[in-house]
Amino acid sequence: MVDLKYIGHSAFEIKNGDKAVLIDPLVSINNKFKWKKEPITDILLTHAHGDHLGEAIKIAKEKDITITAVVELATYCQSEGAKTKSVGLGSWINFSWGRAVFLPAFHSSSLMDGRYGGCAASILLDVDGVRIYHAGDTCLTGEMKTIKELYAPQIALLPIGGTYTMDVEHAAMAAKWLGVRTVIPMHYGTFPEIQADLEKFRNLVAFGNTACQILNPAEIK
Ligand code: NI
Ligand code: MN
């Protein structure tokens, strides 16, 4: 049974039975999410920016689990004392809960001190046949048509807040290009520069054959 929780911002937990993976774990944004009690076995990071790295290192150390990220970011996490797995873009990586492939994102990636964080990524997960695409931070890109052709994702987690990423119009187009059945918006409302018109997004998505599921982190169970 695959279960997806929106923690807030770009942070998600995807659970498969008694295993779970955290993506971009800015868990400090939601004190209702009790990560200590969750059966988390892995953390995946799309890029190094603080709003995505979140509490990854703390969680990884405390739970003795592995952070998987592109080489430069993994190396940083390792230097901070976490167990890591370095990856590049474009190849399936196997995990206890399923598999994932890191794919392109058009975005920058730097650590807090300005060091290069490696290339930014999006992540496609295959959890018992459920294919979930976490776009990370990115603009709309033609890569999304290729992702549809190669991986046929069913669910897309897309940033809609603009300024640093796609806005609602481009995210609706991304949902179409990815060919997903369901789109879940993320990366909006968290700070002033990324406010989004959810109603407009819902309406734009409704033009395609895609369901828009707006998840409220405050209702997390
Ligand atoms: Ni970013
Ligand atoms: Mn971000």
Side-chain angles (χ1 to χ4, degrees):
M1 202 8 214
V2 180
D3 182 40
L4 181 146
K5 271 184 197 169
Y6 183 35
I7 300 162
H9 199 57
S10 294
F12 286 84
E13 181 193 51
I14 296 164
K15 218 187 264 189
N16 185 9
D18 62 354
K19 307 246 169 21
V21 54
L22 277 183
I23 306 167
D24 288 358
L26 184 70
V27 296
S28 56
I29 205 158
N30 188 347
N31 59 20
K32 282 192 176 163
F33 180 70
K34 308 288 184 208
W35 59 269
K36 287 185 185 177
K37 292 184 181 158
E38 294 294 312
I40 302 157
T41 54
D42 289 278
I43 296 171
L44 308 184
L45 299 176
T46 61
H47 64 294
H49 288 154
D51 58 321
H52 299 259
L53 179 61
E55 287 71 46
I57 291 163
K58 180 183 169 180
I59 298 168
K61 287 206 282 201
E62 201 154 318
K63 289 181 102 72
D64 194 29
I65 58 172
T66 302
I67 298 174
T68 301
V70 296
V71 180
E72 292 83 354
L73 178 53
T75 303
Y76 166 75
C77 294
Q78 192 178 34
S79 73
E80 292 291 312
K83 282 202 282 194
T84 60
K85 181 174 177 60
S86 299
V87 298
L89 306 186
S91 171
W92 284 113
I93 313 291
N94 291 314
F95 297 93
S96 58
W97 42 265
R99 56 185 185 152
V101 49
F102 284 61
L103 293 167
F106 282 22
H107 190 65
S108 63
S109 179
S110 54
L111 294 154
M112 291 297 234
D113 61 8
R115 257 184 296 166
Y116 177 56
C119 63
S122 58
I123 304 173
L124 187 286
L125 302 97
D126 182 331
V127 188
D128 280 352
V130 180
R131 293 198 165 182
I132 302 165
Y133 177 66
H134 187 299
D137 281 356
T138 186
C139 62
L140 181 64
T141 136
E143 292 293 334
M144 289 163 181
K145 296 179 182 176
T146 308
I147 289 167
K148 176 188 177 186
E149 190 177 336
L150 289 175
Y151 303 105
Q154 293 126 12
I155 300 168
L157 319 176
L158 300 179
I160 65 164
T163 308
Y164 309 106
T165 68
M166 296 184 271
D167 57 15
V168 291
E169 288 175 23
H170 278 187
M173 185 62 81
K176 193 176 157 196
W177 286 0
L178 288 160
V180 292
R181 286 204 299 259
T182 304
V183 59
I184 298 169
M186 64 176 182
H187 209 272
Y188 66 94
T190 326
F191 38 91
E193 294 84 357
I194 59 168
Q195 299 305 314
D197 184 340
L198 276 178
E199 210 39 55
K200 185 174 176 188
F201 183 61
R202 206 195 284 271
N203 290 335
L204 287 169
V205 168
F207 281 117
N209 275 328
T210 309
C212 180
Q213 204 171 345
I214 293 165
L215 301 179
N216 184 355
E219 287 165 9
I220 200 166
K221 284 189 205 94

